[in-house]
Amino acid sequence: QVQLVESGGGLVQPGNSLTLSCAASGLNLNYYHIGWFRQAPGKEREGISCISNNNGGPTYTDSVLGRFTVSRDNTKNTVLLQMNNLQPADAAVYYCAADAGLSIVSCDVSPRTYSYWGRGTQVTVSS
C-alpha cells in the first residue's frame, strides 16, 4: 500500500536544470524524513540530501550543496528536488526514501535510516 514514486528524470545538457518529484501514497510525508539518493553504474548508492519531518533545515552533501534544493509540497504529498547546473557527474538513477516516521532526531543521508524506497528515475546529463 505504501508507495513512493519518483518522476521528472530525463536527458539534459550540462548546465541545465531538472526538478525531480517524490510522490507518496499510503503515508503522509509530513510525518517522515525524506532522503534523496543516487546511484551511477558501477558505483555505490550515494546519499545527497534529506529534509526532516518537521521541515527543518535540509541537509546536502558536498557534491550537491549550492546546486540542489529539497522542498516539500504538502498539498500534493510530494517532496521535490530542484537540481541546477547539472553536470555529467550527476548522471545516475535518483531515488527518494522515507524513514519510519515521527523521528525525534534530524534527518541524515545514511541509507539505513530509511524504510521505504521508490524505484528510481533516470537522470542523464549529456551534450
Side-chain angles (χ1 to χ4, degrees):
Q1 307 287 30
V2 174
Q3 287 191 101
L4 300 177
V5 179
E6 304 93 340
S7 63
L11 173 64
V12 298
Q13 293 182 294
N16 286 357
S17 298
L18 203 60
T19 299
L20 305 183
S21 297
C22 176
S25 60
L27 74 168
N28 186 339
L29 288 184
N30 290 334
Y31 305 131
Y32 294 84
H33 293 340
I34 304 299
W36 284 97
F37 301 80
R38 65 188 184 186
Q39 188 165 25
K43 296 184 179 180
E44 295 184 353
R45 188 165 297 188
E46 173 193 17
I48 57 171
S49 184
C50 70
I51 186 166
S52 294
N53 55 16
N54 63 357
N55 212 32
T59 292
Y60 304 95
T61 57
D62 289 345
S63 61
V64 306
L65 182 65
R67 298 189 298 123
F68 290 14
T69 303
V70 64
S71 61
R72 294 180 181 271
D73 185 345
N74 292 331
T75 64
K76 298 179 180 178
N77 203 27
T78 297
V79 171
L80 305 175
L81 182 68
Q82 175 70 45
M83 306 185 296
N84 295 329
N85 192 24
L86 285 162
Q87 300 299 316
D90 297 313
V93 177
Y94 282 72
Y95 301 88
C96 66
D99 75 346
L102 299 176
S103 176
I104 62 172
V105 299
S106 298
C107 73
D108 59 50
V109 295
S110 174
R112 66 186 301 271
T113 296
Y114 296 91
S115 299
Y116 305 103
W117 292 80
R119 289 185 168 85
T121 186
Q122 177 73 54
V123 173
T124 303
V125 185
S126 175
S127 298

